Amino acid sequence: MASSAPPTEHRRTGEAAAVPRPPDRDRRPVLAWAAVGGVVGGLFFLVVSRALIDDTYITLSYVRNVAGDLHWGLIPTEEANSATSPFNVLSLAAVTWVLSLVTGEIRPVLGLGVATVVWCALLTGWTAATARRLGRSGAWSVALIAVVLANPFVNSAIGLEVLPIAALLAGLTWAAVSGRAVAFGLVAGVLVLTRLDLGVIVAGVYLLTPAVRSWRAPAVATAVALPWFAFSWWALGSAIPDTFVIKTLQRSFGDFTFANGPVTLWLDRGVLPFALALVPALAGLAVAVALAVPGVRRRHPGVAGPLAGLVVGGLAWYGAYSLLQVPPYQWYYVPTTVALGTAGVLGAALFLPAPRLRAVRYAVPLGLAVLAGALLAVTAGDRPLPWDRPVYFGAWALPEEYREIGAEVGAIVGDETVEAPGEIGTLAYACGCEMVDYFSDRGIAVGLVEQRTEQAGPVMRALLDANFARLDRGDEPLTAEWRLRWTQGVVPDGAITWPTDSPATGPATIYLERVP
């Protein structure tokens, strides 16, 4: 049972205090909370499994090709480098491959379901361990997973790297609070493999946590992450994914940019879902402000740095992406809102009184979890179970419509090449054919690389030239025999058509025609 007393100060030579470790016999409650998180993750995946967004199916196409043939590409016939999160693809591919030994077939969606259970278990396990170091109940881990899953930026992008980010940030916080520099470096390295730009948040926590601020943490992180980036630069022609070029060239959705997106786009989609992401983040900001007070910081020496680092790193991420001028994709807001929300939940655990009665100690965090779950149910109230689309949804067709169309297109075009209509993930996954756009055809991506380099300033141009030094600039786009198009207007005579009715765009038609 966790003590209700505040953590005592423990000094190390040359380091700030870290919260003392609980004895080994106290690990069983942490494992119990991890099991609870796994169950929550499994149930949650059953709800969202039919509502995976288009970009998730880009990831799942990579997973299928890696698990089946060790092929790095969206389609089976072309190598590409458009998977934003190498670690997400590789970990899902590993799970999917292991499952194939049992099922006899490659099933990436099943692999994603199992991985969701694992990430949710890690999230609650690490958070429970951190809470117990604060002298608080492990039940706060359930509050955090509820806050994370209720966040519409997270639950509208399941299958992308959103859950690994949340779990690994919880692990990073545990390592920082525990003063474990090597463990911090391991988790930091995996975070950077999950998204290179997560190094901004890692740096925030590292710089504000003296207990892990030694050469060991960056050395271990480099040893974990560098091999992949070196391999990618040598073998794939780019250390970073091509999506950096693709997304920075897009810049915005009309007037909606990353910087103004929360107010101009996502708040307009509904106050309640937006509040489920914003309120925990604001709580994290309040925690960081409180911990900046010298007296408060002295009372919590092993905790102030990690929690403040999450907030500073999360805000730095937001600033960096605003400067990059990328579109307001919902999953781009996950690092900031989850980092600040994690600080908010753990800050609440830290500052609220810790009653001696176990039932009372559990009441507040479990009550918060129930509230977050209830509000999520309200935001998704017009959806069937399982969901047919996520809370934030902007695709031209429902996922089920795209899956059906893609399968029929595959039967029609066979081994021939078909040009994607502008959204490729779900269609290409269901088609299993040679469907091309800049995500799947490196020949198209080469042109975008050259365009982005021409637009860059001197420093960015030098960085891009170094990154793409081994890119085959002579790679030509594939020639398509067919093309898919989405329209709300006139359909050409003789085209094969499928009606769609997305809540985001309204009724429309996708048609397939031969390229003249």
Side-chain angles (χ1 to χ4, degrees):
M1 183 183 301
S3 169
S4 60
T8 57
E9 186 173 336
H10 172 69
R11 293 286 178 185
R12 296 183 180 184
T13 304
E15 295 183 348
V19 180
R21 299 173 185 169
D24 290 345
R25 66 177 179 273
D26 285 341
R27 290 176 182 169
R28 286 176 297 177
V30 171
L31 295 176
W33 290 116
V36 170
V39 171
V40 170
L43 294 174
F44 179 76
F45 187 75
L46 292 177
V47 173
V48 303
S49 60
R50 304 294 295 174
L52 303 177
I53 63 171
D54 206 62
D55 283 74
T56 291
Y57 279 101
I58 292 177
T59 295
L60 294 179
S61 293
Y62 270 85
V63 168
R64 180 170 59 191
N65 290 327
V66 172
D69 301 304
L70 293 179
H71 168 67
W72 195 260
L74 195 158
I75 57 178
T77 56
E78 287 293 308
E79 183 180 90
N81 196 22
S82 56
T84 302
S85 175
F87 177 74
N88 193 37
V89 170
L90 292 171
S91 59
L92 285 173
V95 173
T96 301
W97 178 77
V98 170
L99 290 173
S100 73
L101 301 179
V102 178
T103 63
E105 55 182 327
I106 301 294
R107 300 176 62 185
V109 175
L110 177 61
L112 174 59
V114 173
T116 299
V117 171
V118 172
W119 287 121
C120 289
L122 288 172
L123 171 61
T124 49
W126 270 323
T127 305
T130 302
R132 288 170 62 76
R133 287 182 178 278
L134 306 183
R136 300 301 187 260
S137 166
W140 283 98
S141 64
V142 179
L144 181 57
I145 194 174
V147 166
V148 167
L149 296 180
N151 183 335
F153 297 127
V154 173
N155 61 48
S156 298
I158 296 299
L160 296 180
E161 59 274 13
V162 293
L163 286 181
I165 288 172
L168 291 167
L169 285 178
L172 193 78
T173 306
W174 164 80
V177 169
S178 305
R180 297 173 181 258
V182 172
F184 185 94
L186 285 170
V187 178
V190 178
L191 270 167
V192 170
L193 281 176
T194 301
R195 288 190 69 100
L196 178 61
D197 36 33
L198 288 171
V200 173
I201 300 179
V202 170
V205 178
Y206 175 77
L207 293 174
L208 293 180
T209 309
V212 297
R213 203 166 59 219
S214 73
W215 64 269
R216 294 190 300 275
V220 172
T222 301
V224 170
L226 185 59
W228 168 262
F229 293 113
F231 167 81
S232 182
W233 181 80
W234 183 265
L236 302 177
S238 169
I240 63 174
D242 296 345
T243 45
F244 173 82
V245 168
I246 294 169
K247 302 301 186 182
T248 54
L249 280 174
Q250 289 178 341
R251 292 194 177 275
S252 65
F253 298 152
D255 295 331
F256 304 131
T257 67
F258 179 85
N260 68 29
V263 175
T264 59
L265 178 61
W266 300 116
L267 181 59
D268 189 57
R269 302 283 180 97
V271 174
L272 179 56
F274 185 70
L276 285 172
L278 182 64
V279 171
L282 291 177
L285 185 60
V287 167
V289 171
L291 290 172
V293 177
V296 178
R297 189 167 61 248
R298 284 193 298 270
R299 286 197 298 273
H300 306 287
V303 184
L307 297 190
L310 286 173
V311 175
V312 171
L315 294 176
W317 164 285
Y318 190 92
Y321 262 58
S322 297
L323 292 174
L324 281 174
Q325 297 179 311
V326 293
Y329 290 101
Q330 66 260 35
W331 57 93
Y332 285 178
Y333 297 98
V334 167
T336 294
T337 57
V338 169
L340 269 66
T342 299
V345 171
L346 290 175
L350 184 67
F351 291 129
L352 290 176
R356 293 187 178 278
L357 291 177
R358 177 182 297 184
V360 179
R361 286 205 306 273
Y362 289 176
V364 173
L366 294 182
L368 177 61
V370 170
L371 176 62
L375 293 176
L376 172 60
V378 171
T379 64
D382 61 338
R383 289 161 178 77
L385 287 176
W387 291 356
D388 61 347
R389 65 194 188 282
V391 173
Y392 285 156
F393 179 70
W396 298 339
L398 290 169
E400 183 62 33
E401 292 174 335
Y402 267 153
R403 288 192 293 269
E404 292 175 356
I405 293 169
E408 293 181 23
V409 168
I412 294 169
V413 304
D415 294 332
E416 294 184 301
T417 301
V418 57
E419 185 180 311
E423 294 183 333
I424 189 173
T426 316
L427 287 167
Y429 182 87
C431 181
C433 59
E434 196 171 76
M435 186 174 292
V436 295
D437 73 353
Y438 43 67
F439 285 105
S440 61
D441 186 351
R442 202 71 185 279
I444 299 175
V446 166
L448 297 180
V449 169
E450 294 174 349
Q451 180 183 344
R452 181 68 178 87
T453 304
E454 290 173 1
Q455 295 179 2
V459 175
M460 179 59 74
R461 180 174 299 179
L463 292 172
L464 289 172
D465 284 341
N467 178 70
F468 291 106
R470 287 188 52 80
L471 179 66
D472 181 4
R473 305 285 180 140
D475 196 354
E476 294 290 335
L478 296 172
T479 300
E481 292 87 12
W482 298 84
R483 62 186 172 204
L484 277 169
R485 289 292 183 267
W486 177 90
T487 183
Q488 291 179 307
V490 177
V491 177
D493 292 338
I496 305 169
T497 63
W498 295 270
T500 64
D501 191 4
S502 165
T505 57
T509 301
I510 290 180
Y511 64 87
L512 176 69
E513 64 176 355
R514 280 278 187 182
V515 175

